[in-house]
Structures are given as C-alpha cells and as structure tokens.
Amino acid sequence: MTAASPAQTVAVLTGDVIGSTSLTEPQFDRLLQELNVQCDWIVAQHQGNAFELMRGDGFQILVFDYANAAKYALLIRMALKAKDSAFDCRICIGFGTFSRLRDKLGTSSGQAFMLSGRGLDNMKTARLLLAGDNANFVQTLDLLTQFADHQITQLTERQSAIGYLKLRHPTWRQSDIAHQLEANRVSITRSIKTARLDLIEQYANFLHQQIKECYL
C-alpha cells in the first residue's frame, strides 16, 4: 500500500451487501465475484487505491483519486444490479484526512475512515450517502444524492447495464453500447430516456467538480 502524508485528503467507501442472507450460495458467489472485479478496476485507477472485503458481506475501498469516489460508488451499484435484480449494496463515501494507514484497511484510522464507517452504521433506508468534514459541502449535495440513490435503486438489470457502460465509457456512443450488449440502438435510447440515465451521469460529473472545488 502506498505511503502518504497524514495531511492528504482521501475518500473511503464503506459498504455492505443488501439482503445477503436471502441470497443463495451461487448468487452470493456471483455477487462477490462482480464486486471483486469492480474493486480491482478501481484499484488500478490510482497507485494508492486499495480495497478489502470485510465481515462476509462488507467492503471498504480507499480512494486517493477522491474526486472520482462518487463515480466509483455508482459504478459498483450498477454493476451489481446489472448481474441480478436481487443484487445491491449500501455505500457511504467519507471524505477527509487519515492519521494512520496500515496493511489492512479495517484497522486503518483517520477522519475519512471514521466518517465513512459511522455514516454506513447510521444509514436507514438510504443506499448512498456522502459524509465529510465540510458540512456545507455535504448539505448542498444531499438532495441530489438522494435523487441519484432513488434512481439507481429503481433500475432494472438492463437499465443498470446501460447506465454502467455510459458512466464507465463516457466517450461511447449509444451504438457502441448497443453493440456491447448485443441490443438494438433504439431500445438503448429508450432505456436511457426512461431511466433518466443521462441525469445519473450528470450527477457523477457534477459531484466530481464539486469535490475538486471543495478539497483541492
């Protein structure tokens, strides 16, 4: 794991699988496999990024390219839902500094870890939450985050797959998505409009800019 200055800002994504006990063993294996795929990709985006699976159905991701933290959370949820409509997770994104980075994320400490962990523990019906040391930043974005959370929760498997590809590959055209999913371009366009996937993408881009302005 990359060493870093204690004053450096990071994001920590702490999450857990929703309804894990109601999943069959093959379902849970498929979910964990997809979660590992997504976490491996996030880790590859920055030298310092790392992840750890915890408590059977829990996970934690350290993100040094923290302006992308919201995008990563959205991608994880849509990737899971694209595999099975029964798959989803809760994620709290904590922004802040850290005091000590150990070999295992679960034993690391600092502001970002504390905010993310406590935020997840306090989540009730929400499945996406922002937590940070800047109260104005969190309050300003809370309503937009509730909207994005609601939209993603309602997505079907096909809509989730399309939304995932749109966010993962922002330069792709609808024809590219249709080719990847072996679908008709007209049906892709219809799904994007019905599920308001453009707004989810705009939310991710807006948060990216707001995080940069607040923490850089």
Side-chain angles (χ1 to χ4, degrees):
M1 190 175 294
T2 300
S5 166
Q8 185 172 351
T9 297
V10 297
V12 174
L13 280 64
T14 304
D16 58 19
V17 176
I18 294 173
S20 60
T21 57
S22 65
L23 299 176
T24 65
E25 186 172 343
Q27 280 182 312
F28 191 61
D29 288 343
R30 287 177 57 225
L31 184 149
L32 287 183
Q33 181 180 26
E34 184 61 31
L35 180 59
N36 272 283
V37 168
Q38 298 307 314
C39 289
D40 283 339
W41 180 79
I42 293 171
V43 167
Q45 303 312 299
H46 191 285
Q47 183 180 2
N49 292 355
F51 84 95
E52 180 180 334
L53 300 180
M54 306 180 302
R55 300 180 299 179
D57 65 352
F59 59 92
Q60 195 164 57
I61 310 171
L62 173 64
V63 178
F64 277 78
D65 54 328
Y66 55 87
N68 292 319
K71 173 183 176 180
Y72 293 156
L74 298 176
L75 284 171
I76 289 172
R77 288 192 61 195
M78 287 192 288
L80 294 182
K81 291 177 67 65
K83 290 296 181 181
D84 192 312
S85 59
F87 296 172
D88 203 352
C89 63
R90 305 183 306 158
I91 300 176
C92 179
I93 310 171
F95 298 95
T97 56
F98 56 87
S99 58
R100 187 170 184 183
L101 207 56
R102 298 182 174 92
D103 289 337
K104 289 189 175 183
L105 294 186
T107 59
S108 296
S109 58
Q111 197 174 50
F113 288 96
M114 178 190 69
L115 290 168
S116 182
R118 288 183 179 177
L120 182 69
D121 290 340
N122 293 329
M123 288 172 72
K124 297 179 181 178
T125 60
R127 301 185 179 188
L128 181 64
L129 183 69
L130 303 181
D133 56 352
N134 187 320
N136 288 333
F137 166 77
V138 174
Q139 292 172 5
T140 299
L141 298 173
D142 181 62
L143 187 59
L144 289 175
T145 300
Q146 289 183 49
F147 162 78
D149 184 10
H150 174 77
Q151 289 297 107
I152 292 178
T153 300
Q154 303 302 315
L155 295 180
T156 65
E157 290 179 21
R158 172 52 65 92
Q159 291 168 344
S160 297
I162 296 170
Y164 176 85
L165 291 175
K166 275 181 62 63
L167 195 57
R168 173 80 180 268
H169 305 285
T171 62
W172 278 21
R173 299 169 298 178
Q174 291 182 16
S175 58
D176 298 320
I177 296 174
H179 177 75
Q180 179 69 23
L181 297 178
E182 300 181 347
N184 185 286
R185 187 182 64 80
V186 175
S187 69
I188 298 296
T189 301
R190 186 183 305 115
S191 293
I192 290 173
K193 290 181 178 180
T194 301
R196 310 297 296 273
L197 295 178
D198 284 334
L199 292 181
I200 293 176
E201 186 177 14
Q202 289 175 35
Y203 165 80
N205 293 336
F206 180 72
L207 247 66
H208 182 276
Q209 185 60 35
Q210 292 298 307
I211 295 168
K212 287 176 62 177
E213 292 179 2
C214 181
Y215 287 99
L216 286 182

